[in-house]
Structure formats: structure tokens, C-alpha cells
Amino acid sequence: MTAASSSKPPLRIRKAAVLGAGVMGAQIAAHLTNAGVETVLFDLPAKDGPKSGIALKAIANLAKLSPAPLADKNLAAAIIPANYDEHLDHLKDVDLVIEAIAERMDWKLDLYKKIAPHVSATAVLASNTSGLSINGLAEALPEELRHRFTGVHFFNPPRYMHLVEVIPTRLTDPAVVDGLEAFLTTTLGKGVVIAKDTPNFIGNRIGVFSMLAAMYHTEQFKLGFDTVDALTGPALGRPKSATYRTADVVGLDTMAHVIKTMADTLPDDPWLKYFKAPAVLQGLIDKGALGSKTGAGFYKKAGKDIVVIDAAKQDYRPSEQKPSDEVAAILAIKDPSEKFGKLRASSDPQAQFLWASFRDLFHYSAFHLADIADTARDVDFAIRWGYGWKLGPFETWQAAGWQQVAEWINEDIKAGKAMSNAPLPAWVTDGRKGVHSKEGSWSAGESSYKPRSQHPVYARQLFPDPILGEKFDQGVTVWENDGVRLWTLGDDQVGIISFKTKMNTVNDQVLDGVQHAIKLAEEKLKAVVIWQTGEPFSAGADLKGALGLLKEGKFDDFDSMVANFQRTSMSIKESLVPVVSAVRGMAFGGGCEFQMHSARTVAALESYIGLVEAGVGLLPAGGGLHELAVRAAKANPDDPFESLKKVFETIAMAKVSASALEAKQLGLLRDSDIVVFNAYELLYVAKKVALSLAESGYRPPMPGRAIPVAGDTGTATFQASLANLKEGYFASPHDIDIATRIADTLCGGKIERGSLVDEEWLLALERKHFVELAKTEKTQARIAHTMTTGKPLRN
């Protein structure tokens, strides 16, 4: 979907071409294909075998990569392999061409000359360069192509990293930029930042500088690389890969190349002398230790252990990722201003390292803001979305107390402690409280605060990713209890049910709350959306409460809780107003069952959906197995067993989908359910779907009173397949018991094949097996082990 409300004509992209089947090109092609865009993947003609062999090999390799570039591995067959000798005619009917070949200006220019005569008169041409001049590249294009050319820089891996930088040239038509922004945002699900045409743009300019500063200060304060990673990872709200692990993953040769690019293209940068690969980095490259791809870099695996390079000894030693006690205590302080004050005042080398690294990052970001970005918001989003930080550099600085930190930076510059003696820009110390305010974010180039983009595509984001201090309309509460809140946003009479529990787990208050909220919605509203204010959708049932009842032997109470779970699912299914589930992140167990009973599910692409109860020694009993049996009967009334084969394996093995598209393959989402690529658009789309169902005269499905089942013949067939697992010791006797009970429930119990049952029969069967399993010692041990360790127990 594109922004239908836009007054500008949308950029319609039916078919795309990616030039270059390397790591980035192949994965960009994969993500375009995920989004339903027919994509041609080009590369050079192969010297041996089929001429499109390079592209063919790259497509085959997509299935081996982790994390998976394809949201459904079957999509690989949809990518069209091509080569420049035979297939340039493909470009005549392509709407978007993305060039993603090696970072060599001369190679890119040669390729543009080759393709220019074949590109259609309306196609947009974009380069995925990570730092070359976009205006420089545009000069090689024929006049008629220049206004349709722009930079479009994806971050690696393209499916998962939210950031895409769009870099227009002086001649790029603004309509092309607007159209591309809408396409990237809605169709591909990205966070777009418009960057200026400066070396490395925004994300890598600031992100790589941050890594260089950390590497410089590692040496200054004589810290171990593992210690620095312990300091610069989750402790700072950054990814686990922190600094040196990130370098290993990126590739040390790639890292050195990016640093060299900065040195070559930024001769006037006051920090120029630091734009060189640190000695230890160069030493590793010289030895061929290039990081993860060669099995060794700053880190390597030694048996089951991870070892880290010791710069002094030039050899590996065991890794001990741990901050000092003093620094761990400082990092645990909630108040950012107190935390930064203590870091600066401490004599601990680790604290001094952190203060120095932040100081130089803040200094660099402020000094270059006017050159590289329109606003401070663009810098913060680029770093958050491209590098996975919880807060960007300007947000971190502002949260820590803008003027106090600015004063400290100035003191350090004067004392010669900062990496550069370049002065802070005058606007930094003009008495401001920061760069983000109610009026918008600071534009150093225009000396004013600028609001968020008014591009119509952002009207689809009812709760966009907030910048520091931003607040959005929280709607009007219709009713709430301790478990859920029913509320409305705007005046469209669509109620929103949001859970109030940790990880949006399901307890008694949630069950009772959902049922009551639906009754109220039937009286007062047109439709309902179940949507959580943050991920996950739901981690499933509250196991702690369930285990407590079992340990105390309160089996009647336990049975009542399960019956209430089923009542909640059925109240969702039988609601007189349509209930739409808006899923993103995990939807496990009961969360999965709620969406299965909804009139429709709208799922973000990155939804990880599964009926995972078998992993804790149980079976799905919130109506999930009953619903799958009903669906199998509808799909294949003469032989429901055919439709049950796939879902039985999914449930018995507690499979979780790796995407919403895969959830359809596993039978956990219906073909009619909708997949949304941008999670920030999820609520908007779900509300539209709920309203359209209501406006089209929605009625809930009639209660099933004559449901054909596969019966004991079906169960016996499943048991035969389980026997092989048991013989090969792939499954324990308890695993077999759980799987047999799942089969019995899906097949309708010990009755003849083709017998007709009602929904209550299936629900009762599901409940019976669930309670019987819950009474066993082995299941109780599995539940307790999972709660304690977060991992399944095989017993």
C-alpha cells in the first residue's frame, strides 16, 4: 500500500532490478521479493557454466545466511537471475533500479554507461553506495536520467536494519525523493532519513567515528577489547556486539576500507589524524584475521570458549567481559545527569574511557551537524536505526543535561584532553536545554527548530518511533482493569485493547478484562483491535500463576483457569463486532490463540508466532487446537487429516515462525490475514481493516455443530510417525505422550473417522488433555525449568 491520502502521485513499483549480486545486492533483492516486488538480480556473466551463474549462486546462498534475508525461503524461486551480456532488455519494464556493486567510482560509472540506454523513461535509478559522492556519480549519467537518480543506502542486513538513507543530488526531482520515501517506508518497512551528500552520509559518518573514538581511547586507557565491549554494549543501551565484536562481524578489512575512505574524502576534518586503522586492527588484517568471515579477528572460538586478542602479547587469551564494580554501579544509575557526572569525576580508567568516548562523540556530532544532516533528529534516528542504539548521540547528551555536559566538553577542549581542539559551535552554548523540543529538532544549517516531516506517508504512523521527550496522543480510556485497557483514538469508534502485564502475558485479569471489553465494544463501538503499545504481542500464559495452582494441588481451579482461557478466545471469535489482532514481535501460546480466533490478523513482517506449549510439556488449550481442527474440516470436509498433517508437526515440535510470511506457511496465520512491513503502521492498518469489516456488515462465524474429524484413524497415523522418532531416540517418552495427546485433540478423540462433533466437544478434549499433562511430574519440572532458565527441559 502507498499513501493513498497523498496529493502527489505515488511511486508505483511493480518490478525492480538490483545490479550486483554481492552480499548487499542479493539481500536487497531478497527484501524487495519479501515485499512482493518482482526483482531481477544482475551480475557479470560467469566464465564457466550458465552465464547468469554468479546471480544464481547468490540466490542459492540466501537460504544459508543467518539471520535469514528471505521471510519465506520459497521466495528464492521468485528472484530472476540475470547477467549484463544477455538480459539488459529486462530494464525496459523495471520501475526501480538499485545499483549495489563494489565501492569503486570507476566501476560504477562504467556500469551506468552500459545500462543507461536500456533504462525506461520513468524508472528511478539509485545507488546503494555507503559513502561515495552521489553528485559525482550523477555526472556520468545522461541528462535525461539525472533527475531520476538518487542515493539509497541500506544498512546490513537489509531485511532487519530499519535505516535507509536517501541522498538526493542537486538535480534529483523532489517528486522522486517523495515517492521513494513512501515506497521505502510502507512497502519495505524502513525508517528513512534524508541525508546530505557528504562522505559516509550520516549513519556511518557518526557511527564509524564513534568506533574510532572507542578504539583510540581503548589504547589511551590500556583496556582489554573484551572490557571495552562489556562497557559499550547493552550497558549503554547498545547491541551485544558492542565495539570490537561489531568490527569482527563487519569484517576488519571492510572496517579499514571505510576508515581509509574517511581519510581520503575528509582532508579538512579537524579529526583527520585519527582516520587511520589502529595498529592492532592493521596487524590482524596483515595476518589474514579479518573477523567472523575468517573465524578470527579481535575474537575467535577456541573449542567451546571465546578468546580475545591481547594487544601486548599479540596472542589470544580467555575473554572476561566484565566492567569494574565501580563502573558497573555508575552504569546502573537511572538518572543520566548523575551518571555522566560520576563517570567524569571517577579516576577508574574504565569510567574515564566512557566519558572520553562520549565527549568526543558529542563534540564531533555537534561540530558536523550543519554539514551532514538537516536536523539533530536525523542524526539520532540514523544511529538508532542503523546501529541499534536505544538513544542517539544528541538524545544521550540532552538527557544527561545539555549545558553541564557542554561546559565539561569545553573544559576538556581547553585542557587539551579532547581528540580535537576544534571549538564547539556557538549554538551549543547559547543557554539551550538541548536540540529536541516541542517545536521540533534543531537544524544547525537553518538555525531553527524543525518539526517532523509532513510527508503524507507518516500519517499512517499513529505512534511513530519517538525522539527524546516526544509524547503522542494516548487516546481516551473507555474502561480498564488491572489486566487490560480498552481505549479509543480519534473518532472512528474502533476500540483498542492493550494488555498491562509484563511481556503482555495472559493472567486472570487479562482474561476477564478481554471478555468484558468485548461486551462493552458490542454495546458502544463498531470494531475492536487488540494492539500492544510495545512488543511483544504476547509471550503467552502467565506460567507462574499456573504452576502455583499445580504445586498446591488446586486442580479444579487450574481447570477453571483453562476453561476461562477458552471462553476468552471464543468471546473474541463470537464477538458481534469484528476483533482484529495487530501482531508484532512474539505471539506465543495464548497470544497466538487470541489472534487465531480474531476475525482477521494484521501482522508486522517481523512477527514470531508459535503455539509453543509442547516445549513446556503441555499442549495448546486456549482454543488453539480446536480452531485448527475446525479450519481443517472447512478446508477439506471429506478428509480433514490432509490439512492436519502440516499443523500437527508445527504444534508437536513447538515451531515458531521466523516471519509473518512463514506463519502463513505453518498454518498459524490464514491466507486472508494481512502482513504489514512497517511495524509503526500496524495500528493504522489494523484499524482500517477492523472498520472495513464493520462497514461491510460483519457477522461472526456460526457455531460449528457438525465438524467432520479425522478420528482415531488419524491419531493412529500420527502415532506411527512418532514411533520412528522414539526408536531413533529423537523424542523422549514424555515428548511422545504430549504429541499423541496433540494428535488426539486435533483428530477429535477416540471416535470413527468422519464423525461429526461440535466445537464444545473439541474444547473439552483440549482441556482434558491439558489438565492431565499438567498433573504429571515431568510437565511440572519442564514448566519450573523454563521459568528459571528461560530454556526448555528435555525429560
Side-chain angles (χ1 to χ4, degrees):
M1 281 182 279
T2 47
S5 59
S6 173
S7 54
K8 304 157 186 154
L11 182 64
R12 299 286 187 200
I13 293 175
R14 185 183 301 277
K15 189 173 179 180
V18 177
L19 312 179
V23 175
M24 283 301 284
Q27 292 195 63
I28 292 168
H31 195 56
L32 285 161
T33 307
N34 289 336
V37 178
E38 186 184 11
T39 304
V40 189
L41 180 60
F42 279 89
D43 211 299
L44 296 164
K47 291 186 173 73
D48 304 308
K51 265 203 162 179
S52 296
I54 296 173
L56 280 162
K57 192 176 173 186
I59 294 165
N61 191 49
L62 290 170
K64 299 172 193 166
L65 295 177
S66 177
L70 290 163
D72 169 5
K73 58 181 179 291
N74 299 317
L75 287 170
I79 303 172
I80 303 162
N83 67 80
Y84 302 122
D85 277 7
E86 299 176 311
H87 301 122
L88 288 176
D89 57 330
H90 268 302
L91 297 174
K92 288 187 168 53
D93 59 352
V94 156
D95 307 301
L96 172 65
V97 180
I98 298 176
E99 169 270 305
I101 68 167
E103 292 288 87
R104 282 272 302 267
M105 181 76 88
D106 52 343
W107 292 359
K108 289 181 191 284
L109 299 183
D110 283 348
L111 181 58
Y112 295 171
K113 281 176 190 146
K114 185 181 279 191
I115 65 160
H118 303 273
V119 175
S120 84
T122 54
V124 171
L125 175 61
S127 174
N128 181 59
T129 176
S130 57
L132 294 178
S133 167
I134 302 298
N135 282 289
L137 290 170
E139 284 165 18
L141 293 169
E143 196 68 42
E144 66 274 13
L145 259 176
R146 289 182 190 179
H147 69 283
R148 291 182 277 126
F149 176 71
T150 183
V152 55
H153 178 217
F154 287 82
F155 273 61
N156 192 15
R159 171 183 160 190
Y160 301 93
M161 297 310 290
H162 192 56
L163 178 65
V164 173
E165 293 173 314
V166 171
I167 313 98
T169 72
R170 290 184 290 271
L171 301 172
T172 310
D173 182 343
V176 166
V177 179
D178 284 346
L180 200 54
E181 187 169 3
F183 169 76
L184 290 165
T185 302
T186 292
T187 308
L188 297 191
K190 296 299 164 195
V192 174
V193 166
I194 308 293
K196 295 185 180 183
D197 186 15
T198 54
N200 288 1
F201 313 128
I202 302 173
N204 282 341
R205 180 76 177 271
I206 300 297
V208 172
F209 177 81
S210 173
M211 290 179 77
L212 278 173
M215 287 175 171
Y216 171 73
H217 291 303
T218 302
E219 204 176 318
Q220 295 300 298
F221 295 104
K222 298 182 170 43
L223 300 180
F225 304 119
D226 49 345
T227 301
V228 169
D229 278 357
L231 295 170
T232 59
L236 296 184
R238 298 181 190 174
K240 281 184 194 165
S241 54
T243 303
Y244 291 100
R245 277 184 194 280
T246 297
D248 274 356
V249 170
V250 167
L252 304 192
D253 52 341
T254 306
M255 182 85 193
H257 174 75
V258 172
I259 296 168
K260 185 178 184 305
T261 304
M262 287 177 80
D264 291 347
T265 54
L266 294 164
D268 301 323
D269 193 300
W271 284 262
L272 176 66
K273 67 178 177 182
Y274 303 101
F275 299 164
K276 61 176 190 287
V280 65
L281 176 70
Q282 194 55 54
L284 287 166
I285 293 168
D286 294 344
K287 286 181 192 167
L290 306 180
S292 304
K293 59 188 170 188
T294 59
F298 285 103
Y299 295 90
K300 74 172 182 178
K301 230 175 171 187
K304 288 186 177 176
D305 299 323
I306 301 288
V307 292
V308 64
I309 193 84
D310 185 313
K313 295 177 184 168
Q314 289 293 298
D315 200 3
Y316 289 91
R317 60 166 174 79
S319 172
E320 304 162 356
Q321 284 211 5
K322 201 168 165 273
S324 69
D325 292 345
E326 182 186 339
V327 171
I330 295 173
L331 291 176
I333 295 169
K334 291 273 190 289
D335 176 21
S337 59
E338 185 188 346
K339 184 187 298 186
F340 270 82
K342 292 211 161 149
L343 283 176
R344 186 166 191 265
S346 171
S347 57
D348 186 311
Q350 294 183 19
Q352 292 176 337
F353 162 84
L354 282 171
W355 161 251
S357 298
F358 272 116
R359 173 199 66 215
D360 292 316
L361 171 64
F362 296 161
H363 186 188
Y364 192 82
S365 302
F367 186 87
H368 285 298
L369 176 58
D371 316 332
I372 66 171
D374 187 31
T375 69
R377 185 193 306 108
D378 296 329
V379 173
D380 282 339
F381 278 155
I383 292 297
R384 275 165 47 174
W385 297 342
Y387 280 75
W389 295 13
K390 278 191 180 152
L391 289 179
F394 287 119
E395 290 176 296
T396 307
W397 181 352
Q398 183 164 329
W402 185 270
Q403 287 303 333
Q404 176 64 81
V405 171
E407 207 175 292
W408 289 337
I409 296 170
N410 261 332
E411 284 174 21
D412 281 10
I413 293 170
K414 283 174 191 158
K417 291 180 181 177
M419 286 168 74
S420 166
N421 61 3
L424 279 174
W427 58 263
V428 170
T429 51
D430 63 4
R432 69 182 53 244
K433 290 184 177 171
V435 286
H436 303 301
S437 71
K438 284 178 183 171
E439 292 79 52
S441 294
W442 181 250
S443 170
E446 296 180 30
S447 297
S448 64
Y449 286 95
K450 292 179 79 166
R452 277 179 175 262
S453 166
Q454 295 305 298
H455 192 304
V457 75
Y458 298 115
R460 300 166 60 86
Q461 299 187 14
L462 304 179
F463 290 89
D465 195 358
I467 206 81
L468 186 75
E470 259 186 319
K471 296 275 189 288
F472 303 112
D473 181 1
Q474 298 301 300
V476 176
T477 301
V478 177
W479 175 84
E480 64 185 324
N481 69 353
D482 287 342
V484 306
R485 175 186 179 225
L486 173 66
W487 53 290
T488 55
L489 188 68
D491 55 2
D492 53 16
Q493 290 195 283
V494 177
I496 302 163
I497 295 175
S498 301
F499 299 177
K500 294 159 74 172
T501 48
K502 188 178 180 184
M503 298 284 283
N504 299 318
T505 50
V506 181
N507 59 16
D508 289 339
Q509 286 87 358
V510 170
L511 296 172
D512 296 342
V514 169
Q515 290 175 54
H516 186 69
I518 286 171
K519 278 182 193 150
L520 283 176
E522 287 176 334
E523 292 167 19
K524 300 180 178 182
L525 300 165
K526 287 184 177 176
V528 168
V529 170
I530 302 176
W531 177 81
Q532 314 299 7
T533 54
E535 290 186 18
F537 178 72
S538 173
D542 173 15
L543 287 175
K544 191 178 176 186
L547 188 62
L549 292 174
L550 294 173
K551 290 284 186 203
E552 290 169 31
K554 295 182 177 176
F555 297 116
D556 288 346
D557 290 352
F558 187 77
D559 188 81
S560 299
M561 184 192 76
V562 180
N564 198 28
F565 222 121
Q566 292 182 334
R567 263 196 307 281
T568 307
S569 290
M570 294 308 287
S571 75
I572 290 170
K573 184 173 181 174
E574 294 168 355
S575 167
L576 290 170
V577 295
V579 179
V580 171
S581 285
V583 174
R584 56 182 166 167
M586 294 182 294
F588 291 169
C592 176
E593 288 170 308
F594 286 171
Q595 67 82 20
M596 287 173 73
H597 286 81
S598 303
R600 194 81 83 250
T601 295
V602 177
L605 177 70
E606 300 308 333
S607 293
Y608 312 114
I609 302 173
L611 292 169
V612 295
E613 287 81 356
V616 288
L618 293 165
L619 51 72
L625 296 181
H626 131 277
E627 180 62 20
L628 290 169
V630 170
R631 290 182 189 180
K634 275 186 184 164
N636 220 329
D638 295 336
D639 187 9
F641 185 77
E642 277 308 303
S643 296
L644 290 174
K645 282 194 284 199
K646 179 171 65 178
V647 293
F648 170 70
E649 187 183 314
T650 299
I651 312 310
M653 295 181 72
K655 285 186 180 177
V656 174
S657 74
S659 72
L661 297 183
E662 191 179 72
K664 290 191 175 191
Q665 295 292 328
L666 294 175
L668 299 170
L669 287 179
R670 298 157 289 201
D671 285 341
S672 57
D673 290 331
I674 291 160
V675 178
V676 169
F677 272 57
N678 195 318
Y680 295 107
E681 296 184 352
L682 187 65
L683 181 58
Y684 172 90
V685 177
K687 286 181 72 182
K688 293 284 186 194
V689 169
L691 206 52
S692 76
L693 285 169
E695 298 293 356
S696 59
Y698 174 82
R699 296 288 304 171
M702 300 272 276
R705 294 200 174 88
I707 303 160
V709 292
D712 49 13
T713 312
T715 305
T717 311
F718 282 134
Q719 280 180 302
S721 66
L722 292 170
N724 295 333
L725 288 174
K726 191 176 179 184
E727 288 300 315
Y729 299 102
F730 295 114
S732 70
H734 196 52
D735 291 330
I736 300 297
D737 183 26
I738 297 161
T740 302
R741 290 171 184 272
I742 289 168
D744 187 66
T745 310
L746 286 170
C747 294
K750 293 175 177 57
I751 53 178
E752 281 187 30
R753 176 184 171 180
S755 298
L756 302 177
V757 302
D758 60 14
E759 291 192 60
E760 190 45 57
W761 169 278
L762 292 167
L763 288 166
L765 192 59
E766 186 182 85
R767 205 160 59 243
K768 174 179 93 78
H769 282 308
F770 185 87
V771 174
E772 285 175 2
L773 277 172
K775 287 179 179 177
T776 66
E777 275 183 33
K778 287 195 168 176
T779 283
Q780 290 182 27
R782 285 190 182 193
I783 295 171
H785 186 269
T786 302
M787 281 174 55
T788 311
T789 67
K791 293 173 184 171
L793 171 70
R794 297 299 303 276
N795 59 1

